[in-house]
């Protein structure tokens, strides 16, 4: 499966990982644990959803509680990495980013 | 010498751990699950993605830095591995797989061992062929003489 990025994706989708294979070499959105989101180009993946993403922007969303008003403040921190290997056990979902509502 | 267990070799061949293996000898940054990041030279990687590094700067969640000569990361604690700009992903994976397959093949280039039965069978077959040839020759000679 490490060589998947060379294959032309087949039209038949038999298992959920085939959907990920269809997104190879395309920009995707990855939602990760701890409020992290990655947007990048999928270069490679395996069955654990370890992934190699290129040209990736990571968004970390932190919720802080204001001490006086007890309001929830959402803070976002972004950073850009040219090529990133992501370990699969932190991945929640993988999606093409062009959809409405993401 | 390859001291890998079968499970490790399986993981190396079937997952992206071979990419981490290809990063041995490079300086990389590894982000850990505890919001810390480790920058240093990758010494060794195994099939489970445990990583041994040297000359390490450890930056923890509070951005305070510590220096270590050797640093071992258990696979589970890896969140991201920053791949250096001069490393190309797909060629590195292909290269690593080729090296892995090459090691398996190098030990197997001896002649295939033949059992006694096989060599006896071959001898008998050769003997039969020789007898058949002789019979043919005799028949053709008899025909000529007639």
């Amino acid at each position: 499966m490490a060589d998947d990025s060379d294959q032309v994706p087949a039209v038949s989708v038999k298992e959920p990982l085939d959907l990920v294979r269809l997104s190879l070499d395309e920009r995707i959105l990855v939602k990760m644990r701890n409020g992290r989101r990655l947007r990048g180009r999928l270069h490679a993946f395996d069955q654990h959803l370890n992934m190699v993403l290129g040209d990736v922007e990571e968004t970390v969303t932190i919720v802080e509680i204001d001490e006086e008003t007890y309001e929830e403040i959402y803070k976002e921190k972004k950073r850009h990495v040219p090529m990133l290997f992501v370990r699969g056990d932190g991945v929640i979902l993988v999606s093409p980013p062009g959809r409405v509502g993401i | 010498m390859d001291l890998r267990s079968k499970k490790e070799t399986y993981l190396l061949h079937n997952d992206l751990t071979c990419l981490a293996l290809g990063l041995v000898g490079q300086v990389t940054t590894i982000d850990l699950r505890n919001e810390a990041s480790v920058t240093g030279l990758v010494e060794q990687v195994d099939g489970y993605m445990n990583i041994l590094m040297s000359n390490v700067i450890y930056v923890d969640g509070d951005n305070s830095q510590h220096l270590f000569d050797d640093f071992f990361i258990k696979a589970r604690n890896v969140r991201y591995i920053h791949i250096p700009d001069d490393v190309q992903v797909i060629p590195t994976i292909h290269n690593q797989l080729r090296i892995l397959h090459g090691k398996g093949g190098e030990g197997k280039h001896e002649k295939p061992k033949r059992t006694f039965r096989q060599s006896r069978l071959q001898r008998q077959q050769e003997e039969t062929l020789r007898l058949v040839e002789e019979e043919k020759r005799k028949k053709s000679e008899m025909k000529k003489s007639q």
Side-chain angles (χ1 to χ4, degrees), chain A residues 10 17 21 28-30 48-49 63 75 83 86 91 95 101:
Chain A
L17 282 181
R21 187 148 52 101
I28 53 162
L29 168 77
V30 180
H48 301 298
L49 254 39
V63 185
K75 283 192 181 169
M83 187 73 74
V86 181
V91 173
S95 165

Side-chain angles (χ1 to χ4, degrees), chain A residues 2-3 5-6 32 34 36 38 44-48 50 52 58 79 81-87 89, chain B residues 10-11 14-16 18-19 31 35 48-49 75-76 78-83 85 89-90 93-94 97:
Chain A
D3 298 339
S5 32
D6 289 344
M32 294 188 60
N34 290 103
R36 284 161 196 262
L38 295 171
F45 74 98
D46 65 11
Q47 81 266 33
H48 301 298
N50 295 330
V52 179
E58 180 202 30
R79 65 172 175 163
V81 184
M83 187 73 74
L84 195 67
F85 175 97
V86 181
R87 195 171 149 88
D89 56 14
Chain B
Y10 171 83
L11 287 173
N14 287 281
D15 297 349
L16 284 175
C18 50
L19 175 59
D31 289 356
E35 322 289 335
Y48 301 101
M49 224 195 288
R76 190 99 174 91
V78 171
R79 183 179 275 144
Y80 303 132
I81 303 177
H82 294 245
I83 300 179
D85 290 333
V89 174
I90 309 298
I93 295 176
H94 281 313
L97 286 176

Side-chain angles (χ1 to χ4, degrees), chain B residues 23-87:
Chain B
L23 290 177
V24 167
Q26 307 255 0
V27 173
T28 50
T29 302
I30 298 184
D31 289 356
L32 305 179
R33 278 200 321 174
N34 62 354
E35 322 289 335
S37 74
V38 183
T39 309
L41 179 73
V42 177
E43 292 278 343
Q44 285 180 39
V45 176
D46 72 4
Y48 301 101
M49 224 195 288
N50 297 322
I51 300 173
L52 179 67
M53 299 174 81
S54 66
N55 295 336
V56 146
I57 303 172
Y58 175 88
V59 182
D60 67 18
D62 309 321
N63 285 331
S64 62
Q65 300 188 358
H66 308 265
L67 288 172
F68 295 104
D69 286 334
D70 298 291
F71 200 86
F72 176 82
I73 307 170
K74 207 146 156 35
R76 190 99 174 91
N77 292 307
V78 171
R79 183 179 275 144
Y80 303 132
I81 303 177
H82 294 245
I83 300 179
D85 290 333
D86 53 357
V87 168

Side-chain angles (χ1 to χ4, degrees), chain A residues 15-30:
Chain A
E15 51 175 38
L17 282 181
D18 287 344
L19 278 174
V20 184
R21 187 148 52 101
L22 287 175
S23 314
L24 266 175
D25 226 17
E26 301 199 10
R27 288 200 68 83
I28 53 162
L29 168 77
V30 180

